[in-house]
Amino acid sequence: MSSARLPGTPRLLRALNDRAALELLLSKGPLTRAQLGELTGLSKVTASQLVERLEERGLVERVGEQAGGRGPNAQMYAVVPATAYVVGVEAGPQHVVAGVADITGRIVGRTDVSIGEGDDPVKVVHAAVVEAAGEAGAPIDRIRRIVLGTPGLVDPKSGEITFAWDLPRWHRGLLTALREDLGRPVAFENDVNLAAIAEQHSGAALGAKDFVLVWLDRGVGTAVVLGGRLHRGSVGAAGEIGYLPVAGTQVSRDASRRAKSGFRMLTDAAAVKTVARSHGFKAAGAGEAIRAAIAAGTAGSPFLDELARRISLGVASVGLVLDPELVVLAGEIGQAGGADLAQRVQHEVAAIAVVSPRVVATEVSSEPVLNGAILTGLDAVREEVFGDTA
């Protein structure tokens, strides 16, 4: 049977062409009808009809003119930024940060709300979302998705938080409560997974299909990306490397998972500050101590070497199971250590294991969790808005 006889085929082709044009306008900026035709392979007539359809639907608008030859200037078109908005939220033990982005990905509003002991998480998130939306001038009914990054476990099946070390009041049932309170689609995602999405989009993992992001900060964890997609595991615990039993560290049998043990005892911010002091580097934070050691040159090498040996125990364990092409060190410790620490870790892993992945420092310098939340929301919203082009 020829494709021409299939019902709905012309409509499907129009939808595919419209989607391709919208993606081009997002990635390449304002374009003329002729340029859209050239980039999509469509005729001038078809490209003009496409632009008219998208204008009628309020998805594109004229934003200027391009001077040409002897004829009139060509109209330039771009995606209407206010078509839809997404909100990314990063939840921490002391504050919640919310950022609003329009459908082009431009962040147009941001707020930071402090969390007091005993504060209701629904009220805190509500305040952050409403304040950020107000700053952005984004009507609540134009917000198509809210993605909230949280430490701990998020059940891949239900989408609920099942355990959050730093946020004991965040629990099952919170997802439904937030959806009812805000009246908008809300999704939870593990914060380290969101950092990996940001790294994959515009950081050190750009173009990598298989990589592991190791988050070293107040908490310790990993995000696993296989075949370009996040691997969460059956209960969302894939990558919880902080609980990895390591010889010489305390192994807790606390079923509540709140006891500190395993790999985290060697590599979290508190542990790094202790090691730094033992080597003569006293600082208010782990990142400051690491930067001071790097600036000290050879005098800082013993501390950095010990830190690299500690980190390599976790990286080698993950490497032997997954054999990734790339490991990204992120969080306060990974960022502060930069290429110096990453190279030391790579050397140590190659010395103790039969795998030797490339180890690099994060290249996402600011708010990776928040940016990952916004990117996740944008992917879903663009699919909804751009996919409905019939």
Side-chain angles (χ1 to χ4, degrees):
M1 182 183 292
S2 70
S3 61
R5 297 179 185 175
L6 291 174
T9 297
R11 181 177 178 179
L12 175 60
L13 289 174
R14 284 197 299 271
L16 292 173
N17 289 336
D18 290 356
R19 176 65 183 267
L22 289 164
E23 295 288 356
L24 283 168
L25 288 170
L26 283 176
S27 62
K28 295 186 178 297
L31 297 169
T32 66
R33 296 186 185 206
Q35 288 170 334
L36 276 172
E38 292 172 4
L39 292 168
T40 57
L42 300 174
S43 68
K44 291 183 179 179
V45 172
T46 303
S48 292
Q49 292 172 342
L50 177 154
V51 171
E52 289 172 5
R53 282 198 304 273
L54 296 179
E55 270 194 294
E56 289 174 3
R57 294 189 63 232
L59 294 177
V60 304
E61 61 185 353
R62 303 179 190 188
V63 294
E65 296 181 344
Q66 183 183 68
R70 298 177 181 177
N73 293 343
Q75 295 288 334
M76 303 287 291
Y77 296 87
V79 173
V80 178
T83 298
Y85 296 91
V86 302
V87 180
V89 181
E90 179 179 358
Q94 298 175 331
H95 62 133
V96 165
V97 179
V100 179
D102 61 35
I103 201 165
T104 70
R106 186 170 66 96
I107 296 177
V108 291
R110 184 186 182 282
T111 192
D112 191 325
V113 175
S114 298
I115 299 178
E117 186 175 351
D119 280 357
D120 178 5
V122 174
K123 291 182 179 178
V124 172
V125 174
H126 179 102
V129 170
V130 171
E131 285 182 22
E135 181 181 310
I140 294 296
D141 61 358
R142 287 284 184 94
I143 295 174
R144 298 286 291 260
R145 188 66 53 96
I146 299 167
V147 178
L148 196 150
T150 173
L153 304 185
V154 177
D155 188 328
K157 300 180 183 69
S158 68
E160 291 276 12
I161 296 174
T162 58
F163 173 74
W165 177 285
D166 283 332
L167 300 168
R169 293 179 61 86
W170 297 59
H171 48 70
R172 288 185 185 274
L174 181 58
L175 182 61
T176 299
L178 284 171
R179 287 172 175 171
E180 291 176 351
D181 176 79
L182 293 165
R184 316 308 303 154
V186 179
F188 286 129
E189 181 59 90
N190 173 266
D191 54 358
V192 180
N193 284 347
L194 292 176
I197 288 172
E199 206 74 53
Q200 187 180 32
H201 180 266
S202 57
L206 183 65
K209 293 295 184 182
D210 300 309
F211 75 93
V212 171
L213 181 138
V214 181
W215 184 266
L216 303 164
D217 209 296
R218 292 180 66 255
V220 174
T222 62
V224 178
V225 176
L226 301 174
R229 299 172 64 87
L230 279 170
H231 176 71
R232 297 176 176 85
S234 62
V235 297
E240 290 294 334
I241 196 175
Y243 298 99
L244 179 73
V246 177
T249 66
Q250 174 184 337
V251 177
S252 172
R253 301 180 69 85
D254 179 5
S256 73
R257 295 172 289 191
R258 293 199 177 279
K260 185 175 175 180
S261 65
F263 182 61
R264 180 179 178 179
M265 294 185 68
L266 295 177
T267 54
D268 70 3
V272 172
K273 282 176 62 177
T274 299
V275 177
R277 283 196 298 269
S278 72
H279 286 277
F281 293 96
K282 298 179 181 180
E288 293 176 37
I290 292 169
R291 285 188 286 270
I294 292 173
T298 55
S301 289
F303 162 49
L304 296 172
D305 287 341
E306 180 175 348
L307 179 56
R309 285 192 292 270
R310 288 174 171 233
I311 295 171
S312 70
L313 296 176
V315 173
S317 297
V318 172
L320 288 167
V321 174
L322 299 175
D323 192 16
E325 61 183 287
L326 178 70
V327 173
V328 181
L329 303 184
E332 178 189 11
I333 293 162
Q335 189 170 63
D340 191 306
L341 180 61
Q343 290 169 4
R344 292 170 193 262
V345 172
Q346 178 172 315
H347 175 78
E348 287 294 329
V349 172
I352 65 175
V354 294
V355 295
S356 53
R358 187 164 61 94
V359 181
V360 299
T362 176
E363 292 180 7
V364 180
S365 60
S366 177
E367 298 185 309
V369 176
L370 183 66
N371 286 319
I374 289 171
L375 289 167
T376 300
L378 282 172
D379 280 347
V381 169
R382 287 173 179 171
E383 187 66 33
E384 291 171 2
V385 175
F386 296 168
D388 183 21
T389 55

